[in-house]
Amino acid sequence: MVATSAVAVEPDEVMADSAKEARARDLSRELRCMVCQNQSIDDSEAPLARDLRLLVRERIAAGDSDAQVMDFLVARYGEFVLLKPRLNSHTWLLWFLTPLALAGGGIALWIHGRRRAQSRAGQDAALLSLTPEEEARLNQLIAAEQASEK
């Protein structure tokens, strides 16, 4: 009872050499189906995905390394063909925008919290401070209390 990871690979696509087939499957999992866009060509049943799977196997059979196969496909279809884009000058924003946005949001929340705490402390201090009239009245009450105790 062995389950395959993808049903899209058809029997006529499978290479005779199991090591080369494993390489082809590994590479196919890293390549985006240009039709489905959220699936690898290994998982997609689209005709273009089949063509790409066959192209990968053809390049492997010709003796290309994994890097050469990937470079060939990127040169032919662009970086979009990769499910995980490479880190270079064109994709650094894609890789770092989310962590930078999260860090910026965290800093903004921290600053907001500090300002709010300082504002609340200032309001509390304002509530605790008495006006001159209130101080005079308080002093009168304290004096009257002390006079009645004697």
Side-chain angles (χ1 to χ4, degrees):
M1 214 193 249
V2 176
T4 59
S5 62
V7 295
V9 178
E10 297 177 17
D12 64 331
E13 297 176 34
V14 178
M15 299 178 83
D17 184 355
S18 61
K20 287 183 179 181
E21 178 61 25
R23 282 182 52 209
R25 294 297 295 267
D26 289 341
L27 289 174
S28 295
R29 287 185 195 101
E30 296 177 24
L31 297 168
R32 179 187 316 274
C33 174
M34 305 301 272
V35 176
C36 306
Q37 295 186 7
N38 284 337
Q39 286 184 318
S40 69
I41 63 171
D42 197 51
D43 298 328
S44 176
E45 294 181 13
L48 180 59
R50 175 181 163 80
D51 293 343
L52 287 173
R53 287 191 303 264
L54 291 172
L55 183 60
V56 166
R57 284 165 173 77
E58 178 183 305
R59 300 298 297 186
I60 289 174
D64 286 359
S65 68
D66 291 355
Q68 289 172 323
V69 173
M70 295 300 267
D71 290 342
F72 174 80
L73 291 168
V74 167
R76 192 168 195 183
Y77 296 101
E79 288 277 332
F80 186 72
V81 77
L82 301 175
L83 278 173
K84 293 180 184 174
R86 297 174 180 161
L87 181 60
N88 60 34
S89 62
H90 297 101
T91 60
W92 71 268
L93 187 62
L94 175 69
W95 282 100
F96 296 115
L97 186 60
T98 301
L100 288 174
L102 287 173
I107 291 170
L109 286 172
W110 180 72
I111 289 171
H112 177 71
R114 284 185 50 90
R115 284 184 182 165
R116 194 164 177 189
Q118 288 172 350
S119 173
R120 186 173 290 145
Q123 289 174 350
D124 290 346
L127 290 174
L128 294 177
S129 64
L130 302 175
T131 63
E133 296 83 25
E134 292 170 332
E135 278 189 48
R137 177 72 178 133
L138 182 61
N139 287 335
Q140 286 176 353
L141 291 171
I142 291 172
E145 182 70 28
Q146 289 174 351
S148 67
E149 288 179 2
K150 289 183 185 181

